[in-house]
Amino acid sequence: MSVEKFTAPDAAGAAEACAHRIFGLLEAAIAARGRASLAISGGSTPKLMFRKMASTPFAWECVHLFFVDERCVPPTDSASNYKMANENLIAAAHIPAANVHRILGEIAPAEAAERYAAEIREFFGLQAGEMPQFDIVHRGMGPDAHTASLFPGDPLIDDRAGIVAATFAKKFNQWRVTLLPGVLLAARNTVFLVAGEDKVAALRGVFHEKYDPMKFPSQIGNDGASVAWFLDEKAAVGLES
Ligand code: 6PG
């Protein structure tokens, strides 16, 4: 399966196209299984997409929303991915609270990771050693090619057995809780939304350098069954089509 790349003139266009793709994949999952599981990323780039999704009528009662990662801060903190998602998507779309599976950024990172893993195991009805298969995992990418909270050089990048872990993000001097590579690789569908000129070098590395996820964590799962990148022209400069 080749990796799809869609480049829009600007960040708003990339956000709109990614939102459209997510809705299509959600509809297919609901038609096939009666419900859909969507794991979303944080940072700043998704805000436009989340607002677009919140303004689009959809059967959110059939969608279970999970988080790809979280910063270990309270849900009221400006750095909280949950806060960003709640303000731009969850509240406006009236996603039922029971369908929102938040990472508890306000408690001890290791405990937050364990409780989130337990919630995922319960939701998917997993046996020991089984990996959850999200219908859609929405991922972003940092200027250093990190994805989720898997930063270059982090030993967790080689983990293929775990579901969730806590990790200390040195560059942000911050504890994070993140889904692990095994989960990203198991996703039925992966959509990346990446925009801005600060992502140019990392994108070139991900697509044009040899496979080395310890250096380019966003390469993880980039050869999966269904992977689509939604980019803006500023980010996609220098990418061979
Ligand atoms: C996070 C994210 C992270 C994000 C990248 C890109 O918690 O920060 O989940 O993986 O996707 O850092 O962030 P921007 O969109 O802000 O550039």
Side-chain angles (χ1 to χ4, degrees):
M1 296 296 286
S2 68
V3 173
E4 223 187 315
K5 282 196 295 274
F6 175 87
T7 302
D10 56 22
E16 178 129 5
C18 193
H20 182 74
R21 174 63 59 88
I22 290 177
F23 281 128
L25 294 169
L26 288 173
E27 278 162 1
I30 294 166
R33 288 173 289 279
R35 70 180 188 181
S37 52
L38 166 64
I40 57 173
S41 284
S44 55
T45 308
K47 285 181 187 161
L48 280 177
M49 179 176 72
F50 290 167
R51 290 178 196 151
K52 174 68 190 163
M53 293 171 71
S55 64
T56 308
F58 194 78
W60 290 108
E61 68 280 4
C62 300
V63 179
H64 281 262
L65 197 66
F66 290 80
F67 289 78
V68 167
D69 65 341
E70 182 60 282
R71 296 88 178 267
C72 292
V73 295
T76 52
D77 190 290
S78 60
S80 165
N81 284 342
Y82 169 76
K83 184 173 187 292
M84 185 277 284
N86 188 45
E87 290 172 351
N88 293 284
L89 173 62
I90 299 169
H94 307 291
I95 300 179
N99 290 29
V100 178
H101 305 269
R102 179 174 78 81
I103 298 173
L104 305 178
E106 66 272 29
I107 68 174
E111 189 192 348
E114 191 38 53
R115 285 172 65 169
Y116 190 49
E119 183 157 351
I120 290 172
R121 287 192 200 97
E122 189 192 342
F123 175 81
F124 287 99
L126 301 180
Q127 302 301 314
E130 279 187 330
M131 210 41 83
Q133 194 172 31
F134 284 93
D135 292 306
I136 308 156
V137 173
H138 153 239
R139 289 164 58 182
M141 184 193 71
D144 59 359
H146 82 262
T147 192
S149 283
L150 298 168
F151 291 86
D154 189 330
L156 290 176
I157 286 167
D158 288 333
D159 186 305
R160 291 294 180 276
I163 294 176
V164 184
T167 184
F168 187 71
K170 291 192 201 70
K171 68 184 290 187
F172 297 107
N173 194 29
Q174 180 182 67
W175 276 97
R176 303 275 189 105
V177 170
T178 185
L179 291 181
L180 290 171
V183 179
L184 304 182
L185 289 163
R188 284 196 174 87
N189 303 282
T190 299
V191 295
F192 281 90
L193 177 62
V194 175
E197 58 211 348
D198 64 334
K199 305 295 172 66
V200 169
L203 271 177
R204 282 190 191 147
V206 167
F207 282 98
H208 301 318
E209 300 265 343
K210 68 177 177 50
Y211 185 72
D212 182 1
M214 197 56 83
K215 189 174 173 189
F216 305 107
S218 291
Q219 288 177 332
I220 294 169
N222 204 21
D223 52 0
S226 160
V227 180
W229 290 70
F230 294 87
L231 312 170
D232 71 349
E233 280 173 6
K234 281 186 179 159
V237 170
L239 271 189
E240 291 145 24
S241 51

